[in-house]
């Protein structure tokens, strides 16, 4: 299967069908947006079975039309990044140019594989990485590359819709809001056939395009550089093994109950997600066989829209998340129990309030730093991204419910965990783990991990 290649049939650029009355030709990036410039694009996609009666050309035409209408609400995704540099006074400002762009990119591709070829293997096939555009691109490349690409890859009996969005323009919440709206537009003839003004009032959740800037930072957030080579870095990924683990509702409930029982004297209530994160953190640390005094970290990405005062609306469009977690030693983590680990993560997230978020941003303004994808083998960290709360399986595009959610090549490193809702629903969770091959083999034999995974 790995000898198969993805053949690109065609590509084009799609512009918004129209612009809202209050649209802006220039949108300035916030400190949180700017901090992502050296990260990779967000690449997530949906795999569907294909009916023999499906007319692929009719499907592609409708999807292009739907994309054009959806972009009228999410028009920044049709733009490009741009930089304005001045010397006196020195200023380096990166922003979204919403007008000088060919639009979002649309790719039609084919591969001679079946859906079962993607889902049957234990590990995620490497061919999936080529179901997305922007392979190995970083967000700063959005100066010349599209900020959004929709790639439709035909399988012999399936369709994969891969979406790549620039992470300096969106976070996970905004990413899936766009996909949810695209699916809504695709399925609703009324929206597709409405005039410009009506369309603005029909979609169920319009994005709020007013970028939020913290105190002490105006809409022109200047970086202390003269060239992007001073803060953009690129790395080659090591050989990684990627596997999606399916945790049932029953397995999560049992693990949560265990963590809470161990925390009964701590006055802390542990969620299913934090109990699962703690379990994975402990098990991966154990199989890595690190020295007791080795410093280790576990972080998760937290949506801070509701944590700010006043809170931002849930449909705030852009990046509005920060990392929260725990730093300790391998010895301390493994000498304590699951409840201790879960309590550390729960307390770290609880501490990420309005004051903490603003303090982090104030420090950033004093000394700007940039998130970087950790592609070197450095076994000291677990980072969880995405969220099982995002609406992924509600996107149908006339093809029925997706059979899987998959991600691309980018933002992967040894110790990355990507969280998805389980396809069976009900609160089940899927976790895509990326580990070096030796660590993955050891994890698959770890008694604590298998006991939690296989409970039903």
């Amino acid at each position: 299967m790995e000898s198969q290649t993805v053949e690109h049939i065609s590509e084009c650029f799609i512009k918004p069908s129209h612009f809202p009355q209050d649209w802006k030709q220039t949108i300035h990036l916030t400190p949180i947006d700017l901090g992502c410039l050296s990260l990779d694009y967000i690449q997530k996609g949906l795999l569907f079975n294909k009916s023999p009666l499906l007319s692929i050309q009719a499907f592609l035409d409708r999807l292009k039309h739907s994309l054009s209408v959806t972009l009228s609400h999410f028009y920044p995704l049709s733009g490009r990044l741009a930089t304005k540099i001045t010397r006196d006074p020195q200023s380096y400002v990166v922003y979204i140019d919403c007008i000088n762009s060919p639009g979002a990119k649309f790719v039609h591709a084919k591969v001679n594989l079946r859906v079962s070829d993607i889902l049957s293997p234990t590990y995620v096939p490497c061919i999936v990485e080529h179901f997305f555009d922007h392979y190995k691109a970083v967000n700063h490349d959005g100066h010349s590359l599209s900020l959004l690409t929709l790639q439709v890859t035909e399988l012999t009996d399936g369709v994969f819709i891969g979406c790549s969005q620039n992470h300096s323009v969106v976070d996970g919440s905004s990413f899936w809001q766009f996909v949810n709206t695209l699916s809504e537009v695709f399925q609703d003839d009324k929206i597709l056939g409405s005039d410009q003004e009506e369309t603005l009032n029909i979609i169920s959740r319009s994005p709020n395009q007013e970028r939020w800037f913290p105190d002490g930072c105006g809409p022109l957030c200047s970086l202390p550089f003269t060239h992007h080579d001073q803060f953009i870095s690129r790395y080659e990924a090591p050989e990684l093994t990627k596997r999606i683990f399916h945790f049932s509702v029953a397995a999560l409930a049992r693990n949560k109950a265990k963590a809470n029982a161990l925390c009964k004297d701590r006055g802390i209530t542990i969620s299913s997600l934090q109990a699962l994160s703690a379990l994975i953190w402990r098990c991966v640390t154990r199989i890595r066989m690190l020295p007791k005094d080795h410093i280790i970290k576990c972080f998760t990405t937290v949506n801070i829209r509701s944590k700010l005062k006043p809170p931002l609306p849930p449909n705030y469009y852009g990046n509005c998340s920060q990392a929260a977690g725990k730093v300790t030693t391998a010895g301390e983590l493994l000498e304590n129990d699951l409840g201790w680990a879960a309590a550390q993560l729960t307390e770290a997230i609880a501490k990420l309030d309005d004051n903490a978020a603003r303090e982090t941003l104030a420090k950033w303004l004093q000394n700007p730093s940039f998130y970087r994808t950790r592609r070197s083998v450095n076994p000291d960290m677990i980072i969880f991204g995405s969220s099982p709360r995002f609406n992924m399986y509600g996107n149908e595009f006339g093809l029925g419910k997706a059979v899987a959610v998959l991600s691309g090549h980018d933002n992967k490193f040894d110790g990355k965990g990507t969280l998805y809702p389980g396809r069976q629903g009900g609160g089940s969770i899927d976790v895509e783990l990326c580990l070096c091959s030796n660590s993955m083999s050891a994890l698959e034999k770890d008694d604590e991990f298998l006991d939690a995974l296989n409970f039903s």
Side-chain angles (χ1 to χ4, degrees):
M1 176 173 53
E2 299 304 341
S3 63
Q4 293 289 342
T5 58
V6 175
E7 176 189 4
H8 281 212
I9 306 301
S10 65
E11 64 178 53
C12 63
F13 289 91
I14 306 292
K15 290 194 171 186
S17 60
H18 59 281
F19 288 91
Q21 290 183 349
D22 59 350
W23 80 290
K24 302 171 183 176
Q25 295 186 12
T26 297
I27 294 180
H28 291 284
L29 299 182
T30 71
I32 304 178
D33 298 329
L34 292 168
C36 297
L37 282 171
S38 199
L39 280 178
D40 302 334
Y41 276 62
I42 302 178
Q43 299 173 320
K44 298 289 188 295
L46 300 163
L47 179 62
F48 299 91
N49 288 315
K50 180 172 67 177
S51 165
L53 301 177
L54 177 70
S55 165
I56 192 65
Q57 190 56 56
F59 173 79
L60 293 173
D61 289 344
R62 187 178 181 95
L63 189 55
K64 290 177 184 177
H65 184 192
S66 302
L67 176 57
S68 179
V69 172
T70 305
L71 285 172
S72 67
H73 306 280
F74 296 83
Y75 65 89
L77 287 173
S78 65
R80 292 288 186 277
L81 296 185
T83 296
K84 181 179 180 180
I85 304 174
T86 61
R87 295 190 180 278
D88 189 19
Q90 181 178 319
S91 176
Y92 189 105
V93 177
V94 184
Y95 59 95
I96 305 171
D97 181 348
C98 300
I99 192 168
N100 296 305
S101 164
K105 190 176 177 183
F106 188 98
V107 177
H108 173 210
K110 273 189 174 183
V111 65
N112 187 26
L113 292 172
R114 300 179 64 84
V115 169
S116 59
D117 294 325
I118 305 301
L119 298 184
S120 295
T122 300
Y123 307 114
V124 179
C126 291
I127 191 72
V128 171
E129 297 178 351
H130 300 284
F131 291 176
F132 299 87
D133 194 21
H134 303 123
Y135 182 73
K136 295 186 178 181
V138 298
N139 296 310
H140 190 273
D141 295 333
H143 283 76
S144 58
L145 301 180
S146 61
L147 301 182
L148 161 70
T149 296
L150 210 63
Q151 178 173 322
V152 177
T153 303
E154 281 187 81
L155 288 74
T156 56
D157 61 350
V159 173
F160 188 86
I161 301 177
C163 188
S164 302
Q165 295 185 41
N166 192 291
H167 205 338
S168 286
V169 179
V170 302
D171 61 7
S173 180
S174 293
F175 179 101
W176 285 106
Q177 186 187 356
F178 166 81
V179 177
N180 297 159
T181 304
L182 179 64
S183 173
E184 179 185 6
V185 170
F186 183 98
Q187 296 179 74
D188 196 326
D189 290 329
K190 184 179 179 182
I191 298 178
L192 281 176
S194 63
D195 64 31
Q196 296 182 4
E197 293 304 317
E198 287 179 342
T199 304
L200 296 174
N201 299 319
I202 291 176
I203 65 168
S204 58
R205 189 176 171 217
S206 296
N208 183 318
Q209 298 287 0
E210 292 295 326
R211 282 300 209 266
W212 176 77
F213 292 84
D215 297 338
C217 175
L220 288 174
C221 189
S222 177
L223 298 173
F225 305 105
T226 57
H227 194 277
H228 63 263
D229 286 345
Q230 295 171 288
F231 62 95
I232 298 299
S233 59
R234 301 173 191 272
Y235 303 94
E236 281 299 318
E239 192 75 22
L240 293 173
T241 302
K242 291 155 277 189
R243 179 173 177 179
I244 298 177
F245 294 97
H246 308 280
F247 289 88
S248 68
V249 175
L252 292 168
R254 180 194 185 213
N255 191 57
K256 175 183 174 181
K258 179 180 178 181
N260 277 294
L262 293 168
C263 283
K264 62 183 179 181
D265 297 327
R266 294 189 176 102
I268 296 174
T269 300
I270 307 298
S271 70
S272 295
L273 184 55
Q274 297 316 317
L276 176 60
S277 300
L279 169 78
I280 294 172
W281 187 25
R282 282 172 48 80
C283 294
V284 171
T285 299
R286 180 166 50 246
I287 58 93
R288 283 172 164 170
M289 295 187 292
L290 303 171
K292 286 187 176 182
D293 60 351
H294 192 98
I295 300 297
I296 58 170
K297 310 161 191 172
C298 182
F299 287 93
T300 188
T301 303
V302 179
N303 182 348
I304 62 170
R305 288 166 175 79
S306 63
K307 292 177 175 288
L308 296 172
K309 294 181 180 178
L312 295 179
N315 61 337
Y316 171 83
Y317 188 72
N319 281 282
C320 197
S321 58
Q322 291 185 359
K326 174 70 176 178
V327 178
T328 183
T329 63
E332 185 176 34
L333 177 67
L334 297 179
E335 288 163 5
N336 284 285
D337 55 33
L338 174 69
W340 182 89
Q344 305 308 304
L345 299 180
T346 300
E347 289 177 337
I349 292 173
K351 289 177 181 176
L352 181 47
D353 57 11
D354 178 74
N355 287 334
R358 291 177 186 273
E359 182 178 344
T360 296
L361 292 171
K363 291 179 179 178
W364 189 94
L365 290 170
Q366 293 295 319
N367 183 26
S369 59
F370 299 86
Y371 297 111
R372 306 184 192 281
T373 303
R374 299 175 68 260
R375 289 174 171 160
S376 59
V377 178
N378 187 7
D380 61 9
M381 186 176 289
I382 293 287
I383 296 181
F384 294 100
S386 189
S387 171
R389 298 183 180 92
F390 294 150
N391 176 14
M392 302 183 190
Y393 284 103
N395 305 290
E396 298 199 357
F397 300 100
L399 298 169
K401 185 177 180 179
V403 295
V405 181
L406 300 169
S407 61
H409 165 276
D410 294 343
N411 290 310
K412 299 289 179 64
F413 53 85
D414 183 19
K416 174 66 181 291
T418 304
L419 304 168
Y420 305 118
R423 186 179 187 275
Q424 62 269 42
S428 57
I429 296 176
D430 290 346
V431 183
E432 181 186 48
L433 273 181
C434 298
L435 297 169
C436 65
S437 58
N438 290 340
S439 294
M440 184 66 78
S441 297
L443 182 67
E444 292 167 339
K445 301 181 183 71
D446 184 82
D447 289 339
E448 182 182 6
F449 185 76
L450 292 176
D451 179 61
L453 178 66
N454 296 328
F455 181 81
S456 60

